[in-house]
Amino acid sequence: MKVLSQDELPAVATLKEMIDVLPEFVCLRYPDGTWAEANRFALNIYGIDHDEYKGKSLEELETRLSYEAIERCSLSDKRAWETRKPIKTAEKIIMKSGRKVMLELIKQPTFTSDGKPQVLVVTGRDITPHKQKEEELSVALDLLESVLKGTTDAILIINTRQEVIKVNDAFMQMFGWAEEDFSEDNDDYPVITPAHLQGESKEIINLLKQGQSVPLHETQRIHKDGTVFDVSASFSNICDMDGKIMGFVIVYRDITSQKKVERALRESEAKYRLIAEHSTDLITVIDPTGIIQYVSPSHLPVLGYEDGEIKGAILEMVHPDDLQSLSELFMRALVKKEPFQTEFRLVHKNGDWILLEARGVPVMTKDGHVESLVTFARDVTKAKQTEELMLKSEKLSVLGELAAGVAHEIRNPLTSLKGFTKLLSDADDVIRLEYLRIMESELNRINDIVGELMLVAKPQAVSFEHTNIQELIYSVVRLLETQAIMRNIQIWVNISDNIPLVYGVENQLKQLFINLLKNAIESMDKDGEIHIKIGTRNDSVLLELKDQGCGIPAERLKTLGEPFYTTKEKGTGLGLMVCFKIIEEHGGAIQFSSVENEGTKVEIELPTAPSSSH
Ligand code: ADP
Ligand code: MG
C-alpha cells in the first residue's frame, strides 16, 4: 500500500468528516435503537434523509428496508447487547434502480467503564460482487459434480504429489476400487498402472508439470482383480487463479472391445492375406474407382511381372478385343452388386497372350456399399489349347471316316464319267447332249461332296449368325447317306412349317449333327430307320433324332459327354463331348433318352436369338 505524505493527506478537518467519506457502512445506535451517528454511505444505502435521522429508530425512519428486515435488525441488535459480543449479520437491500446490494454488517456493543451499555457500533461492507462470485462458483461446482457423475469415462483427479483427490463413479466401476481405498493411511494403496508402464506415466506427469500438453494416447491399466485392459487416456493440468499447477485430471476410456475388434480384424486380414499370398490363382483387389489395391504374388509366375510392376496398369494389359466387355462386367458388378465370371486375355511380360478364366466378387460394407471388387483368375491358356486340340483330333477322325465314304461316293460318278468320255467320241449329237447332261449331274454331285468336306475341314471362324437349320440338316443327311445306305438304313426327315432361323455358328451346328447322326448309324448293326424331326417350342427350334440301335445303358446316360468313352473298336470317344461343348456355346440344351436294344432318342433345343451371354 502506498503511504501518503503529510502534504498529500486529504483536506479533512475532523475524524468525523473522514468517516463520512469512507466507502463503508458506519452507524452508531443507542441501546434503545435510536440513531446517534451515521456516515453518508450508511444513509445513502438505507435511503434516509440526511438531516432527520438523529434520535429516531429504524421503525420511525423512512428507509428502503422492508418490515421484516427492520424486525431482523432489531432482533440482532438485541442479541448483541445481551451477549455483549459482536454479531455478524447480512442484509439484502434493493436500491432505487432495482440493483440488489448485499450488505454484511458487524454489530459491536460498547460499554461504559462501569459496564453500562453505551452505543452499538454498526460497520459493514457491500459484499455483492463477492457474493456473486460465490454463487457462480457453487453453480460451477454443481456442474462439475454432475459431469463427474454422468460421464461413462473414468475420471481421476490427483494433486501434484500424485495423491488421489477425487474419483468418479465410472472410475470405481472401471477399476473396481472405491474412493476410500485411496485414503493416505491405506496400507494396500491401489495400483492402477501396470509395472511396465509406470515409467511412461511418470514421464507424462513430468511433462504436465512443465506445462506441456499431452495428446490422447492408448495404454493399459489394471483392474482391482488384476486383469489388464486397454484404455485411451487424456491428461490435463488443473491450475489455480495465478496459473500455478495444483493437480491433474486423467480421463480414461475403456477400449477393450474396440481393441478386440481391431485385433480380430488384423488377424483375419492376416489370414486372408496369407491365403492370397500363397494361392496359385491370380487375386486382385480393386476399389470402386478402378484403382488396384492388391495384386497377389502369383502374378509373377503366370504373367512375368515383378511385385509392384502391375499396380494401376492392369487395364492396359487387357487384350483390346476383351477390354470393352470386361469393363462392362466390372461396372455391372459394381452397380448390381453381383458376382460375375468371364474369360479374357492379359499380355505376358514377354508379349504372349495369357487366357484367364476370372471370377469377380464385389465386397460390400455393412451399409451395403461396394467397398472393393475381388477377382480370382486362373490361367486357362493350356486347358483351352488342349480342348482345341481335342476338337481338332475329333474332327480329323471324323474327316478320315468321311473321306472313306467320300472316296467311295466319288469313285462311282468318276467311273461313269470315264465311261462317258469314251462314249462321247462315237456318239451322235442328240446322244452326246444326253451324255453331257448326265456327266454334268455327276460332276455336281462330286462338287457337292467335296464342298461339304471342305466346310467341315475349314478352320472354324466363330461367327454367330441366323442359320437355316433345314438346309443344314439336309446337307448333313446327304453327307452321311452313303454310309447309311451301305448298312441298309433309311433316314427320314420330317420338318414342320415355318421353322425360324437358328442363331448359331453354321460349321459347329453341322459338326453337331454329323456326330449325332454318325452315332445313330453306327448304333444299328442291322437294317432299320432313323427319324429326324424338326419343330419349335416357344422361341427355340427343337430337333429330335431317333434311331433303332443298340441303345445306351441307363447308368451311362448320366455321364455321356465325358471324353474318351467309347464302345467302338475305332471310336475316339470325343464326338459327344464336342456336341455338348457346341450346345453349351450356343446356349442350347441336349437330352438323351434310350432303351437298350430298342434305340436312342436325342432331343436338342437351339435358340433363335442371341442369348445374354453373347
Ligand atoms: P465314339 O462315337 O467315337 O465312340 P462318341 O462320343 O460319339 O464317341 O460316343 C461315345 C459313346 O456313346 C459311343 O461309343 C456309344 O457307346 C455311345 N453312344 C453315342 N451315341 C449313341 C447312340 N445313338 N446309340 C447308342 N450308343 C451311343
Ligand atoms: Mg461318335
Side-chain angles (χ1 to χ4, degrees), residues 15 60 64 122 159 178 238 247 251-252 320 325 335 343 411 414 426 537 542 564 574-575:
L15 186 65
E60 295 161 326
R64 282 194 237 283
V122 185
N159 62 18
I238 316 174
V251 181
Y252 294 112
S325 64
V335 174
E343 280 183 6
R411 200 176 313 131
L414 273 180
D426 307 330
R537 180 198 287 163
L542 270 188
F564 306 119
L574 290 173

Side-chain angles (χ1 to χ4, degrees), residues 519-520 523 547 550-552 560 565-568 571-576 600:
N519 280 350
S523 74
D547 63 50
C550 59
I552 305 168
L560 282 182
Y565 166 74
T566 178
T567 51
K568 299 164 197 166
T572 59
L574 290 173
L576 288 185
T600 304

